[in-house]
Amino acid sequence: MSTDYSPLLESYRFENGISLKNRVVMAPMTNFSSNEDGTVSGPELQYYARRSKGAGLVITACVYVTRGGKGFAGEFGADRDELIPSLRELAEAIKGAGAKAVLQIFHGGRQCPPELLPDGQTVSASNVPAELPRGGHGPVPRALSEEEITGIIADFGAATRRAIEAGFDGVEIHGANGYLLQQFFSPHSNTREDRWGGSLENRLTFPLAVLREVKHAVKEHASSPFLVGYRFSPEEPETPGITMAETFALIDALKEEGLDYLHVSQQDLWSKPHRGTDDSRPRIEQIVDRAGDDVPVIGVGSLYKADDALKSLETGISLVALGRPLLIDPDWVQKVAEGRAADIKTELDPSAQAELVIPDPLWGALIHTPGWMPIKA
C-alpha cells in the first residue's frame, strides 16, 4: 500500500493573501559563493533556480544589511542600492522557476569574522565573547552605542525596501543561530543596563524594534502583499542562556506585534527541550501550541525522506523546510509529486556536483565538513 504524501503537496495561503503551490520550503543555507562586491554570482543563480522548481517557497541565504554585519566569506549583500539589480536577478531566478522568493536579512554581530569587517572589530549587545563549541572563546566584541543600535535598526528597514524593489515576495528576519538579534535577546550575550538589556522585557527591545522597522518599510514601499517572517533558535546551551520559557515570551511578543510566520531553527525537528518547561514533548510541538492559530510555524531539521517530512506535519507546523535534503536531491518535491518518493536520495553523491548544480565554494564546504552532510560511500 503506497503512502499518501498529498498533504505535502497541498497549496498554502498566508493571511496576507500570498499563496504557495505546496507546503515545502527551501531552508536558508549559506553557500559562500557570492562575488566579493556583494553581488550574487552566476553559479549562485543557477543553484537557486535548480531548487526553485519544486519548493513552494525559497528562503535565500542571509544577506548583510550593513557591511559591518557581514558574517561569511562569499555572502551577498543588501546594504546599498547599487545591489538592487543583483538582488532582482536572484528574485527573478527563483520566481521564474515557480517558487515564491523570500530574502533573509541579517547582522552577524559578534559572530562575524573580524577580517571581513571594514574596521576589523566585531560588535554586539555587550562585550561578551561567544563560547566556542570545542572550548575557548571568540573575539571580544565592542558593545554597540545607542546611535549604532538605532542605525542598524534603520539598516534592516532599508534592506527590506531593497528587497521590495528587487521583486522579492517577502523578507525573513534572522534572529537565530547566535547572530545579532539573538545576541540582544540572550541573557548570556546581553549584559547591558540600559533600555536595550537587563530584564527579559528590555532584551526583547531590539528584536521588536527591528520587526517594527521592517513592517514600516513594507507599509511604506510595498504595493502588493509582502511576507515578514522571523527565524529563531528556541534554546541556548550557555548558562545563563535562552530557555524555553524565554522562547515562549519571544513568541508572545512577536505575535502581539504581528507578522506572517515564525521559522524555528533546529538541527533535529524532534529535539526535546532542556530547561524552561516541564513539558517533555518536542520543542516544535510546544512552539506550535504557543503560536496558536495566530501565526503559522515553519519547522526544519533533518527531514531527509518524504516519510520524515510527512510525519513532521503531525506536530502542527504549517510548512516543512528542507535544507540539506534539497542539496542532496534538488528533485525532492518533484519525486514526491510523481509518486517516486522511494527514489529520493538521502546521501550526497561526491561525484555529482555538476548534476546537483552546487557552486564550488559550497561544494568544498559540504565535502570537507565531517559529520554535517551524509555522504554516499
Side-chain angles (χ1 to χ4, degrees):
M1 183 176 177
S2 61
T3 303
D4 178 14
Y5 296 108
S6 60
L8 294 169
L9 304 174
E10 292 174 355
S11 62
Y12 182 81
R13 186 179 186 276
F14 289 96
E15 283 293 321
N16 72 356
I18 288 181
S19 293
L20 309 181
K21 63 186 179 184
N22 57 48
R23 301 294 180 105
V24 179
V25 175
M26 178 175 170
M29 292 177 285
T30 302
N31 58 54
F32 315 105
S33 302
S34 303
N35 297 317
E36 184 61 33
D37 63 358
T39 57
V40 180
S41 68
E44 243 178 323
L45 293 174
Q46 295 167 5
Y47 157 84
Y48 278 107
R50 178 75 173 86
R51 287 159 178 80
S52 300
K53 296 173 184 176
L57 175 67
V58 169
I59 305 173
T60 72
C62 58
V63 296
Y64 51 88
V65 301
T66 178
R67 191 62 180 75
K70 184 175 181 178
F72 308 95
E75 180 183 5
F76 67 111
D79 62 320
R80 58 193 192 279
D81 286 357
E82 290 81 3
L83 294 175
I84 293 174
S86 172
L87 294 170
R88 185 176 295 116
E89 282 190 290
L90 178 55
E92 289 175 350
I94 294 169
K95 295 169 72 170
K100 292 292 192 290
V102 165
L103 187 73
Q104 190 185 65
I105 52 179
F106 149 105
H107 189 301
R110 69 182 186 183
Q111 303 284 67
C112 295
E115 65 272 16
L116 297 183
L117 305 180
D119 61 357
Q121 175 63 60
T122 59
V123 294
S124 185
S126 305
N127 61 348
V128 178
E131 295 183 8
L132 302 179
R134 297 180 181 177
H137 297 85
V140 177
R142 177 176 57 78
L144 288 161
S145 68
E146 172 84 17
E147 182 179 6
E148 289 173 315
I149 292 170
T150 56
I152 291 171
I153 292 167
D155 290 334
F156 274 92
T160 301
R161 172 183 59 78
R162 295 180 187 112
I164 292 167
E165 294 182 13
F168 280 90
D169 298 296
V171 293
E172 178 173 282
I173 300 167
H174 197 344
N177 301 358
Y179 298 124
L180 187 63
L181 273 79
Q182 183 173 327
Q183 289 163 33
F184 269 87
F185 181 51
S186 168
H188 177 268
S189 45
N190 187 347
T191 59
R192 302 177 74 100
E193 297 179 352
D194 59 6
R195 69 188 183 106
W196 303 102
S199 67
L200 173 60
E201 182 180 7
N202 284 4
R203 286 187 279 113
L204 281 165
T205 304
F206 181 71
L208 296 181
V210 169
L211 175 58
R212 290 184 194 121
E213 185 72 15
V214 166
K215 289 178 63 181
H216 177 72
V218 173
K219 184 178 179 180
E220 288 290 308
H221 300 286
S223 57
S224 57
F226 189 86
L227 296 169
V228 175
Y230 190 100
R231 195 176 206 219
F232 65 93
S233 298
E235 286 190 271
E236 289 181 322
E238 294 87 359
T239 301
I242 296 169
T243 67
M244 286 300 295
E246 289 171 311
T247 291
F248 295 149
L250 173 65
I251 293 169
D252 292 346
L254 293 172
K255 282 171 53 178
E256 187 172 341
E257 289 295 328
L259 75 171
D260 294 297
Y261 70 81
L262 296 170
H263 188 176
V264 188
S265 180
Q266 299 189 104
Q267 285 289 326
D268 177 6
L269 179 88
W270 300 100
S271 61
K272 300 290 185 71
H274 297 297
R275 55 188 175 175
T277 176
D278 294 328
D279 191 334
S280 62
R281 291 180 302 154
R283 294 181 182 120
I284 191 67
E285 294 183 9
Q286 299 184 51
I287 289 167
V288 167
D289 284 354
R290 195 74 178 208
D293 297 328
D294 299 310
V295 58
V297 175
I298 301 177
V300 69
S302 302
L303 305 171
Y304 290 97
K305 299 178 181 179
D307 288 333
D308 299 330
L310 184 65
K311 181 175 172 57
S312 75
L313 294 176
E314 296 176 6
T315 65
I317 59 174
S318 298
L319 299 167
V320 180
L322 305 178
R324 287 170 287 179
L326 288 181
L327 295 178
I328 295 169
D329 195 337
D331 299 317
W332 196 102
V333 180
Q334 294 93 313
K335 288 179 178 178
V336 172
E338 294 165 4
R340 299 190 296 123
D343 296 336
I344 289 174
K345 298 172 183 175
T346 57
E347 295 177 317
L348 185 70
D349 183 346
S351 67
Q353 181 186 0
E355 175 192 343
L356 298 176
V357 193
I358 295 179
D360 288 341
L362 176 57
W363 186 256
L366 298 178
I367 294 297
H368 300 298
T369 306
W372 190 80
M373 172 68 70
I375 296 178
K376 186 178 178 181

